[in-house]
Amino acid sequence: TLPAGRGGREWRAPVSSFSSFLPSFFTGSKKKEEEDAKKAATLKEELLAAIAPLDRGAEATPEDKDRVEQIAQQLEEVNPTKEPLKSELLNGKWELLYTTSTSIRQKLRPKFLRPYGTIYQAINTDTLRAQNMETLPYFNQVTANLVPLNSRKVAVRFDYFKIFSLIQIKAPGSGKGELEITYLDEELRVSRGDKGNLFVLKMVDPLYRVPL
């Protein structure tokens, strides 16, 4: 028997509310994850519908760009992958669906002179390599080394350009930039460049390897 306390009352261990707090904490956390996942699924559908007629952004009006930006920001708020550079989901070949980068969408060129084939970007986090690939009509490529700046942003150092998939040219020292992954799941990636450009890509080949 436990010794009696002052005044003859039996000693009782204080009941902690911490143990009862834990289940509710984890339940609340799981519920938020489920809500965020549902919201992300809806926003992904809205984003894909908004960019579908925009020719990767080349045909986007200012209103179109504002709408896409608004949806992208909402999607970024429910990003399920907080440290994308540590995630296997980032690895592989991604197809570019939309960008605000004028150097990629080449809006100032006549439509028949723009790249009309699929454009890809591949990333391998284990080797810290990246590759951008155009298809029809030019088949240009560029490879780069990646330098992690934090768990979601890298510095990009381009090393070689390949023209018509044949002629290899060493990239100039000015060929560099930064890329931040702001949304990532197994299907879709949203990234932002250091010049404020937005990129939306979908996964097409998770096993693709960038040349070393």
Side-chain angles (χ1 to χ4, degrees), residues 10-23:
E10 290 188 358
W11 180 87
R12 296 175 185 270
V15 178
S16 170
S17 62
F18 185 69
S19 59
S20 60
F21 165 76
L22 283 176

Side-chain angles (χ1 to χ4, degrees), residues 84-85 90 94 96 98-99 101 104 121-124 129-132 144-158 176-183 189-201:
L85 289 176
L90 185 56
W94 298 81
L96 180 67
Y98 174 87
T99 183
S101 169
I104 294 176
Q121 182 181 76
I123 293 178
N124 292 146
R129 294 284 287 163
Q131 181 182 25
N132 293 343
N145 293 309
L146 305 177
V147 180
L149 301 176
N150 55 41
S151 61
R152 50 187 277 161
K153 182 188 286 189
V154 292
V156 182
R157 303 286 183 263
F158 298 108
K176 57 186 177 181
E178 291 181 4
L179 187 69
E180 182 174 11
I181 294 90
T182 54
Y183 180 89
R189 169 161 64 92
V190 177
S191 300
R192 294 186 182 269
D194 54 327
K195 295 178 181 176
N197 289 315
L198 174 67
F199 303 88
V200 180
L201 309 95

Side-chain angles (χ1 to χ4, degrees), residues 128-191:
L128 292 174
R129 294 284 287 163
Q131 181 182 25
N132 293 343
M133 297 162 276
E134 292 180 1
T135 54
L136 296 169
Y138 304 114
F139 295 92
N140 295 332
Q141 298 182 25
V142 59
T143 52
N145 293 309
L146 305 177
V147 180
L149 301 176
N150 55 41
S151 61
R152 50 187 277 161
K153 182 188 286 189
V154 292
V156 182
R157 303 286 183 263
F158 298 108
D159 54 5
Y160 287 100
F161 293 97
K162 191 175 280 189
I163 313 299
F164 301 115
S165 272
L166 295 171
I167 307 165
Q168 187 164 287
I169 301 171
K170 189 171 177 58
S174 59
K176 57 186 177 181
E178 291 181 4
L179 187 69
E180 182 174 11
I181 294 90
T182 54
Y183 180 89
L184 176 68
D185 64 22
E186 64 277 2
E187 301 172 330
L188 196 75
R189 169 161 64 92
V190 177
S191 300

